[in-house]
Amino acid sequence: MMVHRKKKPALVIVAVLTLLCIAPTLAVNAKQERKLRFRQNGEFKILQVADMHFANGKTTPCLDVLPSQVAGCSDLNTTAFINRMISAEKPDLIVFTGDNIFGFDATDAAKSLNAAFAPAIASNIPWVAVLGNHDQESTLSREGVMKHIVTLKNTLSQVNPSDAHIIDGFGNYNLEIGGVKGSGFENKSVLNLYFLDSGDYSTVPSVPGYGWIKPSQQFWFEQTSARLQRAYMSKPAAQKAPAPGLVYFHIPLPEFAYFDQSNFTGVRQEGISSASVNSGFFTTMVAAGDVKAVFTGHDHVNDFCGRLTGIQLCYGGGFGYHAYGKAGWERRARVVVASLEKTEKRGWGDVKSIKTWKRLDDEHLTGVDGHVLWSKTSSGMRRRKHTNGA
């Protein structure tokens, strides 16, 4: 007589638990293996999306639009704009710089986050996000929002760096952009991207207003920048100067207020809503020596770039339709392109220049304010008022 033995439930449970434990590790490893590098044409393009303020989708109304735009206008207009930008620019990386959702109006934070990032997820383009001051005001904490983001498809976002044991905030990390495959810079990070959590609101009772980048974050940035510079300026293919760095976070630094109409490209239509204290991060970046530009959001109807002590300070410009804006002043997005130098042997070298422009959500996705942020041969060129992104 044949005896059929049942599988022991305990063994099945152990196997399932083992798979559940391994799965997050596999996901992290898969993200780490997705190496970002310059295209074969020597370019790397970044699309910045600032202040989507996404809430509940179709039922969430638009703010500050023309009377003719009110009917039927919703979060879906924000989604449509992202899709248009992805189709037009075909970026290599999409960066969401905070207030991705507007927590007060988002019924379910996870669902709102999924919907807000849906175009990036569907595009199969790598994307990252940092937090603003409104992302945590729904059903997830600040940590919970970032932990949810890192589970989404195609994102290279991180909750925090694995080598930083003590660091403030959530969403501090960096990405290394490799040179063209097959070139002498294939195994070098020729462009470094830093992402930081600029906080939400002050946690110091005697200090009102918004949050700021804390000493622990600045220490991590300094250590990371120094490590990357050592690697870039060491053999093989040792370089004489650091690779350029770009920094992304949400709340502008107090130094953004140093500009007037004569020394920036773009517009300033509201005050600079920075923290009421200066934590010194701008000085930290200047001292590091590799940062060429900073990109923020937060002040929706400011979209300028201005150069201060060798660093360009740039707003992305308000993107989302459920965010405050200015009726008749189109929602917009910022594009940044880093270009490599052509070598004598018809190959690709290090970064030669970094330029930017913005596109408006109008009939033609009009490109405006194209200019060079940084180049090896000059300190930056003055503006051309209109551009098609060429």
Side-chain angles (χ1 to χ4, degrees), residues 279-321:
S279 68
F281 186 51
F282 181 77
T283 303
T284 298
M285 291 188 291
V286 171
D290 63 332
V291 175
K292 307 307 177 188
V294 170
F295 303 93
T296 69
H298 192 54
D299 299 329
H300 305 174
V301 294
N302 291 340
D303 73 349
F304 66 80
C305 282
R307 187 171 180 266
L308 181 67
T309 322
I311 298 178
Q312 294 276 356
L313 301 179
C314 298
Y315 280 106
F319 190 100
Y321 279 85

Side-chain angles (χ1 to χ4, degrees), residues 38 41-46 190-191 232 243-246 292-293 295 312 335-342 348-357 371-381 384 390:
F38 277 70
N41 68 352
E43 291 187 345
F44 189 87
K45 182 183 287 188
I46 302 170
V190 297
L191 179 68
Y232 192 67
L246 307 178
K292 307 307 177 188
F295 303 93
Q312 294 276 356
V335 179
V336 171
V337 174
S339 301
L340 300 178
E341 191 161 43
K342 201 75 164 154
W348 294 108
D350 58 352
V351 176
K352 176 182 67 175
S353 66
I354 301 171
K355 62 183 178 179
T356 187
W357 60 87
H371 65 291
V372 175
L373 292 172
W374 173 84
S375 72
K376 289 174 67 175
T377 55
S378 70
S379 59
M381 297 170 58
R384 298 190 311 273

Side-chain angles (χ1 to χ4, degrees), residues 265-267 301-305 315-317 329 332 334 358 369:
T265 301
V267 298
V301 294
N302 291 340
D303 73 349
F304 66 80
C305 282
Y315 280 106
W329 192 72
R332 57 203 58 212
R334 181 172 293 281
K358 300 183 294 283
D369 295 334

Side-chain angles (χ1 to χ4, degrees), residues 111-241:
K111 288 183 179 178
S112 293
L113 289 164
N114 294 350
F117 297 127
I121 293 169
S123 73
N124 206 35
I125 294 170
W127 62 274
V128 293
V130 294
L131 302 182
N133 54 294
H134 289 304
D135 290 290
Q136 78 290 341
E137 293 168 341
S138 180
T139 55
L140 289 173
S141 66
R142 203 164 179 79
E143 181 179 11
V145 169
M146 205 65 214
K147 284 185 172 179
H148 180 78
I149 288 172
V150 301
T151 67
L152 299 177
K153 184 183 176 184
N154 297 327
T155 190
L156 299 177
S157 306
Q158 299 173 37
V159 175
N160 270 328
S162 57
D163 57 347
H165 302 296
I166 300 175
I167 190 167
D168 287 280
F170 303 97
N172 304 286
Y173 53 101
N174 71 287
L175 291 177
E176 301 176 21
I177 314 302
V180 172
K181 193 169 183 62
S183 72
F185 288 82
E186 177 179 2
N187 297 316
K188 290 277 191 182
S189 178
V190 297
L191 179 68
N192 295 309
L193 308 181
Y194 304 95
F195 306 92
L196 294 103
D197 180 2
S198 54
D200 49 8
Y201 302 97
S202 171
T203 56
V204 180
S206 59
V207 179
Y210 294 108
W212 56 87
I213 295 171
K214 306 296 197 303
S216 64
Q217 297 167 280
Q218 297 189 46
F219 178 73
W220 166 79
F221 165 79
E222 289 175 311
Q223 296 294 107
T224 304
S225 173
R227 173 178 58 80
L228 292 169
Q229 291 188 47
R230 283 194 301 271
Y232 192 67
M233 300 168 73
S234 299
K235 294 181 179 180
Q239 300 301 300
K240 295 180 180 180

